[in-house]
Amino acid sequence: MATSQTKPESAPLTDAVIASLARLVDDSQSPTGSRQPSHSEIEDQFRRADLIQADPNQAGRPIGKAKRIRGVLQWAIENDIQKGERLVYLLIALVRGVGGFREGSNNSAGTDAIQDLREAFASEGFNLAETGELLPVVLDTIIGQQLTVALKAYVRRARRGVLDAALVTGTGKDLVEAVAAHVLVQRFGNYPESANFPTLLGQAFVAAGLCAVKKPSPTAQEQMDLALYELACAVNRLRNREGTGHGRPFLTTVTQAQSRTAVQSMGLVAARLMDAL
């Protein structure tokens, strides 16, 4: 599976990732004894991600590395997904830096633990290389069912309000545009690349059997679908068209809270389209 050459500064945070990442650093049953990263190195990453307050070790009762990581990330997935995804990225980099992904290293996490983490990230549209580098899948290089699975991963992240899910890797589009284009390709084999956003999205809605135009006496479902179409068009107006795809997906006048709401809205619209495929 091809990947982007631009490294993200955050990584998907899911229950599967939490379990796999905790296992990656767990040396409690290791026949060779303790290995890096150490407790202090892990704690440094908690501080860098501004999540030290969630560390269960702060209560004064020493606990294992795996339990500390699970505790912090489980708090983050419920309370601050942005900081949690930042911590996942930092922990992966830390393990890579001490040789955790290198076979034969004294700090190797082991093939089973690495494979579990690789599979957890793969289901979220990310590729964990043998070297420990974590890169998002380039969606321009995949098609069909493989693209459907990858887009659904972005939709899940967008619905949680993860800002970088708004910018779909490798497509030059935002999430809703990418999903609309995918729907049209799935239905007709191509999509109008020169169409503006409202036209592209309207065609995708029609292709998926959804309502995108006002009717004299719409059903409740048609009224809801039309509201989703208009919501997506409004969110698109907030998009930073001059961005490079590596920063804020919205105009600088849009606050972080407004951005998160906009991304969640994108996830809602994209999910409706994907479900109608």
Side-chain angles (χ1 to χ4, degrees), residues 12 14 17 119-126 150 153-154 156-157 160:
T14 65
V17 167
E119 291 176 2
F121 282 130
S123 67
E124 296 301 312
F126 277 66
Y154 276 89
R156 288 194 297 272
R157 297 183 75 215
R160 294 197 297 267

Side-chain angles (χ1 to χ4, degrees), residues 205 210-211 220-230 272:
F205 263 58
L210 309 179
C211 179
Q221 184 63 64
E222 289 172 335
Q223 192 171 12
M224 187 182 78
D225 288 338
L226 178 59
L228 288 174
Y229 170 79
E230 292 178 341
R272 177 69 176 130

Side-chain angles (χ1 to χ4, degrees), residues 12 19 23 31 40-41 49 54 56 58 74 79 108 119 132 147 150 159 178 197 202 206 209 213-214 226 258 276:
R23 185 183 178 196
S40 62
E41 289 170 325
Q58 296 298 301
Q74 285 168 350
N79 297 281
S108 175
E119 291 176 2
L147 180 55
R159 293 184 71 174
F197 181 86
V206 172
V213 295
K214 292 183 179 180
L226 178 59
Q258 291 168 335

Side-chain angles (χ1 to χ4, degrees), residues 63-83:
I63 60 175
K65 300 173 188 175
K67 188 172 290 187
R68 290 182 75 183
I69 285 176
R70 281 198 301 270
V72 173
L73 290 178
Q74 285 168 350
W75 183 93
I77 203 172
E78 295 293 337
N79 297 281
D80 199 324
I81 192 76
Q82 303 289 337
K83 291 180 181 179

Side-chain angles (χ1 to χ4, degrees), residues 100-233:
F101 292 97
R102 189 170 66 249
E103 188 176 353
S105 167
N106 290 333
N107 295 319
S108 175
T111 55
D112 288 346
I114 293 171
Q115 184 58 30
D116 285 347
L117 187 61
R118 181 173 289 121
E119 291 176 2
F121 282 130
S123 67
E124 296 301 312
F126 277 66
N127 179 53
L128 181 64
E130 291 183 2
T131 59
E133 288 187 294
L134 185 65
L135 298 168
V137 173
V138 174
L139 302 189
D140 271 350
T141 65
I142 56 179
I143 59 175
Q145 182 59 28
Q146 196 177 21
L147 180 55
T148 298
V149 171
L151 284 172
K152 284 183 176 180
Y154 276 89
V155 169
R156 288 194 297 272
R157 297 183 75 215
R159 293 184 71 174
R160 294 197 297 267
V162 178
L163 297 185
D164 70 0
L167 298 167
V168 183
T169 305
T171 65
K173 307 178 183 70
D174 66 23
L175 177 61
V176 177
E177 280 183 295
V179 169
H182 180 57
V183 167
L184 291 172
V185 169
Q186 290 296 100
R187 286 285 191 263
F188 308 119
N190 56 62
Y191 72 95
E193 296 188 28
S194 61
N196 61 29
F197 181 86
T199 300
L200 178 70
L201 185 61
Q203 290 180 0
F205 263 58
V206 172
L210 309 179
C211 179
V213 295
K214 292 183 179 180
K215 296 184 176 182
S217 300
T219 64
Q221 184 63 64
E222 289 172 335
Q223 192 171 12
M224 187 182 78
D225 288 338
L226 178 59
L228 288 174
Y229 170 79
E230 292 178 341
L231 174 62
C233 290

Side-chain angles (χ1 to χ4, degrees), residues 4-8 134-136 246:
S4 166
Q5 299 305 307
T6 301
K7 295 181 182 180
L134 185 65
L135 298 168
H246 306 303

